[in-house]
Amino acid sequence: MHRSHTCGELRASHIGQTVTLSGWVQRSRDKGGLLWIDLRDRYGITQLFLEEGKSDAKVMEQARTLGREFVIKATGKVVERFSKNDQMATGDIEIFVEQLELLNASKTPPFTIEDESDGGDDLRMQWRYLDLRRNPLKNNLVLRHKIGIEARKYLDSLSFLEIETPYLIKSTPEGARDFVVPSRMNPGQFYALPQSPQTFKQILMVGGYDRYYQIVRCFRDEDLRADRQPEFTQIDCEMAFVEQEDILNTFEGLVKHLFKTVKGIDIPSVPRMTYDEAMRRFGSDKPDIRFGMEFQDLTTAMQGQGFAIFDQAEAVLGIVAAGCAHYTRKQVDELTEWVKRPQIGAKGLVCCMCNEDGTFKSSVDKFYSQDVWQKIAAQAGAKAGDLILILSGATDATRKQLSELRLLMGGRLGLRNPEEFKPLWVVDFPLVEWNEEAGRWFAMHHPFTAPKPDHFDLLETSPGDARANAYDFVLNGVEIGGGSIRIHDRKIQSRMFDLLGFSPEEAQHQFGFLLNAFEYGAPPHGGIAFGFDRLCALFGGADNIRDFIAFPKNNSGRDVMIDAPSTIDQKQMDELYIATQPINE
Ligand code: ASP
């Protein structure tokens, strides 16, 4: 027997029992004739104790040879601890060791296996199994497991069926770049790994499985960021015989269930905001509504006073940073530099201090009298002691820039507490958006999204104004879910492909299977997918999804532990009809 209990299990009520524990040596302390070993496993830490004279001399000697991360099995009696540790679940007891068995030795780990490790990211990724032994990662994976289980419980209770869809599918030109897999049996042909099971779940609806879900891996060959991985997991769902309202209610229910069961938090009903309103009030389709600092349209108020930059701008937009009138010249300069960075791209920033004495001070006072500022401040809702931050330019670009500045200021003012959760539905997304570079319309969500029924005609006249029954679930400024009501009519789907620049032949070649399915009784349907990794990170109060995935890739898309991707040998290449030699050999 390797263990009678885990290292997180023993309490005062076990005192007097003889137990066997197995685990890893977290640390040991040798003080004269007394020796303590902290033994760790997934469940916790238990203190082992030996004493010269009392313990068997051989066992004592053996215990002294144990290094960090050695794997051992210890048998002994549970005794009351002399100095109790109320920080530890097992802190009331220790084990007086009678027998020790070394199960495996360990090299000295390249970083400390502590909650705060001294290991850098690269090192921790390379020795991921050591990193996984640390509490923060373990807790994240436990959290992930819980969220997965609770999602399944909720969906199962509503008769959703978990159905797997294939990983080797067909490459499609829409969306992100595909990862492709050469087919040995079909020379010169490739599968693609799914960016999502979108078309399959729709086909399942045609197949009669009216409530589907899957916690499923998806693959997108995109540039990576903190919240992106080349393979990531979605809670992917689809329902038939539903309208948008049914989907919003069902999945609001899912998120509420998760908050309740995993975090013990009651989420009140989730507010809704149209895309247009979100853009107008926050300059973002995923506004962080934990704080206000809403956009103020100052275009009319600020134009016509002789300040050419504002006069020529399509939009002059401001936000009010409460209590920031004391900002120094240096702080304002720093903010100005920040908005001028290429990532933000603003040309400049106008700041106006609303001084406590009722006066106003800005860098453009030459053009704006105190009276005008008074009016602007009143319109913007700025009080004495506040700072008004103003950007100008083309509407879309200015909104984007000001949205970034709003998030920055919200963070600086401590308004973005990770323990506070403010979900939001953003609804009525545009159906398509114009891509200047490609010179054509692109689907804003995906090509299977249905226009609002009364917007069909706009496809012919002004597609950019057409709105879709498409929705995003946003939590604290992060998009964690998105979906839509789908097209289920072949003619409308063909019209959509046409709008997106597919010839009828191309549409048939790429999506013939779906178009054909629509001719055999496709029910009205719609769905949504939640980013499971992001959801886990948010529940865990973190930005980076990496530490919520057991084996993530680094920023260059590499798994540095197994060293992938890697070259393959010529024989494999030949079998796959890949002619060229690997570049780096
Ligand atoms: N397949 C979509 C996505 O991955 C979600 C959906 O429309 O259900 O974003």
Short mmCIF file of all heavy atoms in Angstrom, two decimals, residues 493-548:
data_model
loop_
_atom_site.label_atom_id
_atom_site.label_comp_id
_atom_site.label_asym_id
_atom_site.label_seq_id
_atom_site.Cartn_x
_atom_site.Cartn_y
_atom_site.Cartn_z
N GLN A 493 -28.56 31.99 -47.60
CA GLN A 493 -27.14 31.65 -47.40
C GLN A 493 -26.35 31.92 -48.68
O GLN A 493 -25.24 32.45 -48.65
CB GLN A 493 -27.00 30.19 -46.95
CG GLN A 493 -25.58 29.82 -46.55
CD GLN A 493 -25.07 30.55 -45.31
OE1 GLN A 493 -25.52 30.32 -44.20
NE2 GLN A 493 -24.14 31.48 -45.49
N SER A 494 -26.94 31.56 -49.82
CA SER A 494 -26.26 31.81 -51.09
C SER A 494 -26.07 33.30 -51.31
O SER A 494 -25.02 33.76 -51.74
CB SER A 494 -27.06 31.24 -52.26
OG SER A 494 -27.13 29.85 -52.15
N ARG A 495 -27.11 34.08 -50.97
CA ARG A 495 -27.04 35.54 -51.13
C ARG A 495 -25.91 36.10 -50.25
O ARG A 495 -25.17 37.00 -50.64
CB ARG A 495 -28.39 36.16 -50.74
CG ARG A 495 -28.40 37.67 -50.69
CD ARG A 495 -28.28 38.29 -52.09
NE ARG A 495 -28.04 39.73 -52.05
CZ ARG A 495 -26.86 40.30 -52.25
NH1 ARG A 495 -25.78 39.58 -52.47
NH2 ARG A 495 -26.74 41.62 -52.21
N MET A 496 -25.78 35.54 -49.06
CA MET A 496 -24.74 35.98 -48.12
C MET A 496 -23.36 35.69 -48.70
O MET A 496 -22.46 36.55 -48.68
CB MET A 496 -24.96 35.25 -46.79
CG MET A 496 -24.09 35.75 -45.69
SD MET A 496 -24.52 37.45 -45.24
CE MET A 496 -23.12 37.81 -44.20
N PHE A 497 -23.17 34.47 -49.21
CA PHE A 497 -21.88 34.13 -49.81
C PHE A 497 -21.57 35.07 -50.98
O PHE A 497 -20.43 35.51 -51.17
CB PHE A 497 -21.85 32.67 -50.29
CG PHE A 497 -21.70 31.68 -49.17
CD1 PHE A 497 -22.47 30.52 -49.13
CD2 PHE A 497 -20.77 31.88 -48.16
CE1 PHE A 497 -22.33 29.61 -48.09
CE2 PHE A 497 -20.62 30.97 -47.12
CZ PHE A 497 -21.40 29.84 -47.09
N ASP A 498 -22.60 35.38 -51.73
CA ASP A 498 -22.46 36.28 -52.86
C ASP A 498 -21.97 37.66 -52.38
O ASP A 498 -21.02 38.23 -52.90
CB ASP A 498 -23.84 36.37 -53.55
CG ASP A 498 -23.81 37.31 -54.72
OD1 ASP A 498 -22.84 37.23 -55.50
OD2 ASP A 498 -24.74 38.13 -54.85
N LEU A 499 -22.61 38.16 -51.31
CA LEU A 499 -22.22 39.45 -50.74
C LEU A 499 -20.76 39.44 -50.27
O LEU A 499 -20.04 40.43 -50.35
CB LEU A 499 -23.15 39.78 -49.57
CG LEU A 499 -22.91 41.10 -48.83
CD1 LEU A 499 -23.20 42.27 -49.75
CD2 LEU A 499 -23.80 41.19 -47.59
N LEU A 500 -20.33 38.28 -49.77
CA LEU A 500 -18.96 38.16 -49.26
C LEU A 500 -17.95 37.89 -50.37
O LEU A 500 -16.79 37.61 -50.10
CB LEU A 500 -18.89 37.07 -48.19
CG LEU A 500 -19.80 37.28 -46.98
CD1 LEU A 500 -19.71 36.10 -46.02
CD2 LEU A 500 -19.46 38.57 -46.24
N GLY A 501 -18.43 37.92 -51.62
CA GLY A 501 -17.51 37.81 -52.74
C GLY A 501 -17.22 36.40 -53.22
O GLY A 501 -16.28 36.18 -53.97
N PHE A 502 -18.02 35.42 -52.76
CA PHE A 502 -17.84 34.06 -53.27
C PHE A 502 -18.64 33.91 -54.56
O PHE A 502 -19.82 34.29 -54.59
CB PHE A 502 -18.42 33.02 -52.30
CG PHE A 502 -17.64 32.82 -51.04
CD1 PHE A 502 -17.67 33.76 -50.02
CD2 PHE A 502 -16.89 31.67 -50.86
CE1 PHE A 502 -16.96 33.56 -48.85
CE2 PHE A 502 -16.18 31.45 -49.69
CZ PHE A 502 -16.21 32.40 -48.68
N SER A 503 -18.04 33.33 -55.57
CA SER A 503 -18.83 32.99 -56.76
C SER A 503 -19.69 31.77 -56.38
O SER A 503 -19.36 31.06 -55.42
CB SER A 503 -17.91 32.61 -57.91
OG SER A 503 -17.27 31.38 -57.64
N PRO A 504 -20.79 31.52 -57.11
CA PRO A 504 -21.62 30.36 -56.77
C PRO A 504 -20.79 29.07 -56.76
O PRO A 504 -21.00 28.20 -55.91
CB PRO A 504 -22.66 30.33 -57.89
CG PRO A 504 -22.73 31.74 -58.40
CD PRO A 504 -21.36 32.31 -58.22
N GLU A 505 -19.82 28.96 -57.67
CA GLU A 505 -19.00 27.74 -57.73
C GLU A 505 -18.14 27.63 -56.48
O GLU A 505 -18.02 26.56 -55.88
CB GLU A 505 -18.08 27.75 -58.97
CG GLU A 505 -18.79 27.74 -60.30
CD GLU A 505 -19.48 29.07 -60.63
OE1 GLU A 505 -18.92 30.14 -60.27
OE2 GLU A 505 -20.59 29.06 -61.20
N GLU A 506 -17.52 28.77 -56.08
CA GLU A 506 -16.68 28.74 -54.88
C GLU A 506 -17.51 28.38 -53.65
O GLU A 506 -17.09 27.58 -52.81
CB GLU A 506 -16.04 30.12 -54.63
CG GLU A 506 -14.82 30.38 -55.50
CD GLU A 506 -14.42 31.86 -55.49
OE1 GLU A 506 -15.24 32.73 -55.10
OE2 GLU A 506 -13.29 32.15 -55.88
N ALA A 507 -18.68 28.99 -53.56
CA ALA A 507 -19.56 28.72 -52.41
C ALA A 507 -19.91 27.23 -52.38
O ALA A 507 -19.86 26.58 -51.33
CB ALA A 507 -20.83 29.56 -52.49
N GLN A 508 -20.22 26.68 -53.54
CA GLN A 508 -20.57 25.27 -53.61
C GLN A 508 -19.37 24.40 -53.24
O GLN A 508 -19.49 23.43 -52.49
CB GLN A 508 -21.08 24.94 -55.03
CG GLN A 508 -21.70 23.56 -55.18
CD GLN A 508 -22.93 23.35 -54.28
OE1 GLN A 508 -23.71 24.26 -54.05
NE2 GLN A 508 -23.06 22.13 -53.75
N HIS A 509 -18.19 24.79 -53.72
CA HIS A 509 -16.98 24.02 -53.45
C HIS A 509 -16.66 24.03 -51.95
O HIS A 509 -16.34 23.00 -51.36
CB HIS A 509 -15.82 24.61 -54.26
CG HIS A 509 -14.50 23.99 -53.94
ND1 HIS A 509 -14.20 22.69 -54.31
CD2 HIS A 509 -13.42 24.47 -53.30
CE1 HIS A 509 -12.97 22.41 -53.89
NE2 HIS A 509 -12.48 23.47 -53.27
N GLN A 510 -16.75 25.21 -51.33
CA GLN A 510 -16.37 25.34 -49.92
C GLN A 510 -17.44 24.83 -48.98
O GLN A 510 -17.14 24.18 -47.98
CB GLN A 510 -16.12 26.83 -49.58
CG GLN A 510 -14.84 27.40 -50.15
CD GLN A 510 -13.62 26.70 -49.59
OE1 GLN A 510 -13.65 26.13 -48.52
NE2 GLN A 510 -12.53 26.74 -50.34
N PHE A 511 -18.68 25.20 -49.27
CA PHE A 511 -19.74 24.97 -48.29
C PHE A 511 -20.92 24.22 -48.87
O PHE A 511 -22.03 24.29 -48.35
CB PHE A 511 -20.23 26.33 -47.73
CG PHE A 511 -19.15 27.09 -47.00
CD1 PHE A 511 -18.60 28.24 -47.55
CD2 PHE A 511 -18.68 26.64 -45.78
CE1 PHE A 511 -17.61 28.94 -46.88
CE2 PHE A 511 -17.68 27.34 -45.11
CZ PHE A 511 -17.14 28.49 -45.65
N GLY A 512 -20.66 23.48 -49.96
CA GLY A 512 -21.74 22.74 -50.61
C GLY A 512 -22.47 21.84 -49.63
O GLY A 512 -23.71 21.75 -49.66
N PHE A 513 -21.73 21.21 -48.75
CA PHE A 513 -22.36 20.28 -47.79
C PHE A 513 -23.41 20.99 -46.95
O PHE A 513 -24.47 20.45 -46.66
CB PHE A 513 -21.30 19.62 -46.89
CG PHE A 513 -20.50 20.60 -46.06
CD1 PHE A 513 -20.85 20.88 -44.76
CD2 PHE A 513 -19.41 21.26 -46.60
CE1 PHE A 513 -20.13 21.79 -44.00
CE2 PHE A 513 -18.68 22.17 -45.85
CZ PHE A 513 -19.04 22.44 -44.55
N LEU A 514 -23.14 22.25 -46.57
CA LEU A 514 -24.09 22.99 -45.73
C LEU A 514 -25.28 23.47 -46.57
O LEU A 514 -26.44 23.31 -46.17
CB LEU A 514 -23.38 24.19 -45.08
CG LEU A 514 -24.20 24.94 -44.04
CD1 LEU A 514 -24.41 24.07 -42.80
CD2 LEU A 514 -23.51 26.23 -43.62
N LEU A 515 -24.95 23.99 -47.75
CA LEU A 515 -26.04 24.46 -48.63
C LEU A 515 -26.96 23.30 -48.97
O LEU A 515 -28.18 23.44 -48.97
CB LEU A 515 -25.44 25.08 -49.89
CG LEU A 515 -24.67 26.40 -49.66
CD1 LEU A 515 -23.90 26.83 -50.90
CD2 LEU A 515 -25.64 27.51 -49.24
N ASN A 516 -26.36 22.14 -49.24
CA ASN A 516 -27.19 20.97 -49.54
C ASN A 516 -28.06 20.59 -48.34
O ASN A 516 -29.24 20.30 -48.48
CB ASN A 516 -26.32 19.77 -49.93
CG ASN A 516 -25.59 20.03 -51.24
OD1 ASN A 516 -25.96 20.95 -51.98
ND2 ASN A 516 -24.54 19.26 -51.51
N ALA A 517 -27.43 20.62 -47.16
CA ALA A 517 -28.19 20.24 -45.95
C ALA A 517 -29.39 21.15 -45.77
O ALA A 517 -30.45 20.71 -45.30
CB ALA A 517 -27.28 20.31 -44.73
N PHE A 518 -29.24 22.42 -46.15
CA PHE A 518 -30.34 23.38 -45.99
C PHE A 518 -31.52 23.03 -46.90
O PHE A 518 -32.61 23.58 -46.75
CB PHE A 518 -29.88 24.80 -46.29
CG PHE A 518 -29.05 25.41 -45.17
CD1 PHE A 518 -28.43 26.65 -45.34
CD2 PHE A 518 -28.89 24.76 -43.96
CE1 PHE A 518 -27.68 27.21 -44.31
CE2 PHE A 518 -28.14 25.32 -42.93
CZ PHE A 518 -27.53 26.55 -43.11
N GLU A 519 -31.30 22.12 -47.86
CA GLU A 519 -32.40 21.73 -48.75
C GLU A 519 -33.17 20.52 -48.24
O GLU A 519 -34.08 20.03 -48.88
CB GLU A 519 -31.85 21.44 -50.15
CG GLU A 519 -31.26 22.71 -50.75
CD GLU A 519 -30.94 22.57 -52.21
OE1 GLU A 519 -29.97 21.86 -52.53
OE2 GLU A 519 -31.66 23.17 -53.02
N TYR A 520 -32.74 20.02 -47.06
CA TYR A 520 -33.42 18.84 -46.52
C TYR A 520 -34.03 19.13 -45.15
O TYR A 520 -33.79 18.41 -44.18
CB TYR A 520 -32.43 17.67 -46.43
CG TYR A 520 -32.08 17.11 -47.78
CD1 TYR A 520 -30.99 17.61 -48.49
CD2 TYR A 520 -32.85 16.10 -48.37
CE1 TYR A 520 -30.68 17.12 -49.75
CE2 TYR A 520 -32.53 15.61 -49.62
CZ TYR A 520 -31.45 16.11 -50.31
OH TYR A 520 -31.13 15.62 -51.54
N GLY A 521 -34.73 20.22 -45.05
CA GLY A 521 -35.47 20.47 -43.80
C GLY A 521 -34.58 20.96 -42.68
O GLY A 521 -34.52 20.32 -41.62
N ALA A 522 -33.89 22.08 -42.88
CA ALA A 522 -33.10 22.66 -41.79
C ALA A 522 -34.01 23.47 -40.87
O ALA A 522 -34.74 24.33 -41.34
CB ALA A 522 -32.01 23.56 -42.37
N PRO A 523 -33.99 23.19 -39.58
CA PRO A 523 -34.84 23.95 -38.66
C PRO A 523 -34.21 25.32 -38.37
O PRO A 523 -33.00 25.47 -38.51
CB PRO A 523 -34.83 23.08 -37.40
CG PRO A 523 -33.49 22.42 -37.42
CD PRO A 523 -33.15 22.19 -38.87
N PRO A 524 -35.00 26.28 -37.94
CA PRO A 524 -34.40 27.54 -37.46
C PRO A 524 -33.49 27.20 -36.28
O PRO A 524 -33.85 26.37 -35.44
CB PRO A 524 -35.60 28.36 -36.98
CG PRO A 524 -36.82 27.63 -37.38
CD PRO A 524 -36.45 26.24 -37.78
N HIS A 525 -32.33 27.81 -36.24
CA HIS A 525 -31.40 27.47 -35.15
C HIS A 525 -30.43 28.60 -34.88
O HIS A 525 -30.32 29.55 -35.66
CB HIS A 525 -30.66 26.17 -35.47
CG HIS A 525 -29.81 26.23 -36.71
ND1 HIS A 525 -30.34 26.19 -38.00
CD2 HIS A 525 -28.48 26.31 -36.88
CE1 HIS A 525 -29.36 26.24 -38.89
NE2 HIS A 525 -28.23 26.33 -38.25
N GLY A 526 -29.74 28.47 -33.77
CA GLY A 526 -28.75 29.48 -33.38
C GLY A 526 -27.91 28.93 -32.25
O GLY A 526 -28.22 27.86 -31.70
N GLY A 527 -26.86 29.64 -31.91
CA GLY A 527 -26.00 29.11 -30.86
C GLY A 527 -25.02 30.13 -30.36
O GLY A 527 -25.12 31.33 -30.64
N ILE A 528 -24.06 29.61 -29.63
CA ILE A 528 -23.07 30.48 -28.99
C ILE A 528 -21.86 29.62 -28.62
O ILE A 528 -21.98 28.40 -28.50
CB ILE A 528 -23.68 31.12 -27.72
CG1 ILE A 528 -22.78 32.23 -27.16
CG2 ILE A 528 -23.97 30.08 -26.65
CD1 ILE A 528 -23.48 33.11 -26.13
N ALA A 529 -20.72 30.25 -28.49
CA ALA A 529 -19.55 29.53 -27.97
C ALA A 529 -18.88 30.42 -26.93
O ALA A 529 -18.74 31.63 -27.14
CB ALA A 529 -18.58 29.19 -29.09
N PHE A 530 -18.50 29.83 -25.80
CA PHE A 530 -17.78 30.56 -24.76
C PHE A 530 -16.31 30.16 -24.79
O PHE A 530 -15.99 28.98 -24.98
CB PHE A 530 -18.35 30.22 -23.38
CG PHE A 530 -19.69 30.84 -23.12
CD1 PHE A 530 -20.84 30.14 -23.43
CD2 PHE A 530 -19.79 32.11 -22.59
CE1 PHE A 530 -22.09 30.71 -23.21
CE2 PHE A 530 -21.03 32.69 -22.37
CZ PHE A 530 -22.18 31.99 -22.68
N GLY A 531 -15.44 31.12 -24.62
CA GLY A 531 -14.01 30.83 -24.51
C GLY A 531 -13.75 30.28 -23.12
O GLY A 531 -13.78 31.00 -22.13
N PHE A 532 -13.51 28.98 -23.08
CA PHE A 532 -13.40 28.29 -21.79
C PHE A 532 -12.14 28.74 -21.04
O PHE A 532 -12.18 28.97 -19.83
CB PHE A 532 -13.38 26.78 -22.07
CG PHE A 532 -13.43 25.93 -20.84
CD1 PHE A 532 -14.39 26.13 -19.86
CD2 PHE A 532 -12.52 24.90 -20.67
CE1 PHE A 532 -14.44 25.33 -18.74
CE2 PHE A 532 -12.56 24.09 -19.55
CZ PHE A 532 -13.51 24.30 -18.58
N ASP A 533 -11.04 28.87 -21.75
CA ASP A 533 -9.78 29.27 -21.08
C ASP A 533 -9.92 30.67 -20.47
O ASP A 533 -9.49 30.91 -19.35
CB ASP A 533 -8.62 29.25 -22.08
CG ASP A 533 -8.59 27.99 -22.90
OD1 ASP A 533 -8.22 26.94 -22.37
OD2 ASP A 533 -8.96 28.05 -24.10
N ARG A 534 -10.52 31.57 -21.23
CA ARG A 534 -10.70 32.94 -20.74
C ARG A 534 -11.63 33.00 -19.55
O ARG A 534 -11.42 33.75 -18.61
CB ARG A 534 -11.30 33.82 -21.83
CG ARG A 534 -10.30 34.29 -22.83
CD ARG A 534 -10.94 35.34 -23.71
NE ARG A 534 -10.18 35.48 -24.93
CZ ARG A 534 -10.59 36.21 -25.96
NH1 ARG A 534 -11.74 36.83 -25.90
NH2 ARG A 534 -9.85 36.30 -27.04
N LEU A 535 -12.69 32.20 -19.65
CA LEU A 535 -13.65 32.14 -18.55
C LEU A 535 -12.93 31.67 -17.27
O LEU A 535 -13.12 32.24 -16.20
CB LEU A 535 -14.77 31.17 -18.92
CG LEU A 535 -16.01 31.16 -18.06
CD1 LEU A 535 -16.72 32.51 -18.14
CD2 LEU A 535 -16.97 30.07 -18.50
N CYS A 536 -12.10 30.65 -17.42
CA CYS A 536 -11.36 30.13 -16.26
C CYS A 536 -10.43 31.22 -15.71
O CYS A 536 -10.36 31.42 -14.49
CB CYS A 536 -10.53 28.91 -16.66
SG CYS A 536 -11.55 27.50 -17.13
N ALA A 537 -9.73 31.92 -16.60
CA ALA A 537 -8.80 32.96 -16.15
C ALA A 537 -9.56 34.06 -15.40
O ALA A 537 -9.14 34.51 -14.34
CB ALA A 537 -8.03 33.54 -17.33
N LEU A 538 -10.71 34.46 -15.95
CA LEU A 538 -11.50 35.50 -15.29
C LEU A 538 -11.99 35.04 -13.92
O LEU A 538 -11.92 35.78 -12.94
CB LEU A 538 -12.71 35.86 -16.15
CG LEU A 538 -12.46 37.00 -17.12
CD1 LEU A 538 -13.55 37.04 -18.17
CD2 LEU A 538 -12.44 38.32 -16.37
N PHE A 539 -12.46 33.81 -13.85
CA PHE A 539 -12.91 33.29 -12.56
C PHE A 539 -11.73 33.23 -11.58
O PHE A 539 -11.92 33.38 -10.39
CB PHE A 539 -13.52 31.88 -12.73
CG PHE A 539 -15.00 31.89 -12.97
CD1 PHE A 539 -15.56 32.75 -13.88
CD2 PHE A 539 -15.83 31.03 -12.28
CE1 PHE A 539 -16.94 32.77 -14.11
CE2 PHE A 539 -17.21 31.03 -12.48
CZ PHE A 539 -17.76 31.90 -13.39
N GLY A 540 -10.55 32.99 -12.12
CA GLY A 540 -9.36 32.91 -11.27
C GLY A 540 -8.74 34.27 -11.01
O GLY A 540 -7.69 34.36 -10.39
N GLY A 541 -9.35 35.33 -11.54
CA GLY A 541 -8.84 36.69 -11.29
C GLY A 541 -7.55 37.00 -12.02
O GLY A 541 -6.75 37.82 -11.57
N ALA A 542 -7.32 36.34 -13.17
CA ALA A 542 -6.07 36.56 -13.91
C ALA A 542 -6.35 37.02 -15.34
O ALA A 542 -7.45 36.83 -15.85
CB ALA A 542 -5.26 35.27 -13.94
N ASP A 543 -5.34 37.65 -15.96
CA ASP A 543 -5.48 38.08 -17.36
C ASP A 543 -4.98 37.01 -18.31
O ASP A 543 -5.48 36.84 -19.40
CB ASP A 543 -4.62 39.33 -17.63
CG ASP A 543 -5.10 40.51 -16.83
OD1 ASP A 543 -6.32 40.57 -16.58
OD2 ASP A 543 -4.27 41.34 -16.44
N ASN A 544 -3.93 36.32 -17.88
CA ASN A 544 -3.25 35.41 -18.78
C ASN A 544 -3.89 34.02 -18.72
O ASN A 544 -4.02 33.45 -17.65
CB ASN A 544 -1.78 35.33 -18.37
CG ASN A 544 -0.93 34.82 -19.50
OD1 ASN A 544 -1.35 33.93 -20.25
ND2 ASN A 544 0.26 35.36 -19.64
N ILE A 545 -4.29 33.51 -19.91
CA ILE A 545 -4.97 32.21 -19.91
C ILE A 545 -3.96 31.06 -19.78
O ILE A 545 -4.33 29.93 -19.52
CB ILE A 545 -5.81 31.99 -21.19
CG1 ILE A 545 -4.97 31.98 -22.45
CG2 ILE A 545 -6.90 33.03 -21.29
CD1 ILE A 545 -5.76 31.59 -23.70
N ARG A 546 -2.68 31.38 -19.96
CA ARG A 546 -1.67 30.33 -20.04
C ARG A 546 -1.64 29.44 -18.81
O ARG A 546 -1.48 28.23 -18.90
CB ARG A 546 -0.32 31.00 -20.23
CG ARG A 546 0.66 30.17 -20.96
CD ARG A 546 1.99 30.82 -20.89
NE ARG A 546 2.22 31.68 -22.03
CZ ARG A 546 3.28 32.46 -22.14
NH1 ARG A 546 4.20 32.50 -21.19
NH2 ARG A 546 3.45 33.20 -23.19
N ASP A 547 -1.76 30.07 -17.65
CA ASP A 547 -1.65 29.29 -16.43
C ASP A 547 -2.95 28.59 -16.05
O ASP A 547 -3.07 28.03 -14.97
CB ASP A 547 -1.11 30.14 -15.29
CG ASP A 547 0.40 30.32 -15.43
OD1 ASP A 547 1.01 29.57 -16.24
OD2 ASP A 547 0.97 31.20 -14.76
N PHE A 548 -3.92 28.63 -16.97
CA PHE A 548 -5.15 27.87 -16.76
C PHE A 548 -5.22 26.71 -17.76
O PHE A 548 -6.24 26.07 -17.91
CB PHE A 548 -6.36 28.79 -16.89
CG PHE A 548 -6.41 29.78 -15.75
CD1 PHE A 548 -5.62 30.91 -15.77
CD2 PHE A 548 -7.20 29.52 -14.64
CE1 PHE A 548 -5.63 31.79 -14.70
CE2 PHE A 548 -7.21 30.41 -13.58
CZ PHE A 548 -6.43 31.54 -13.61
#
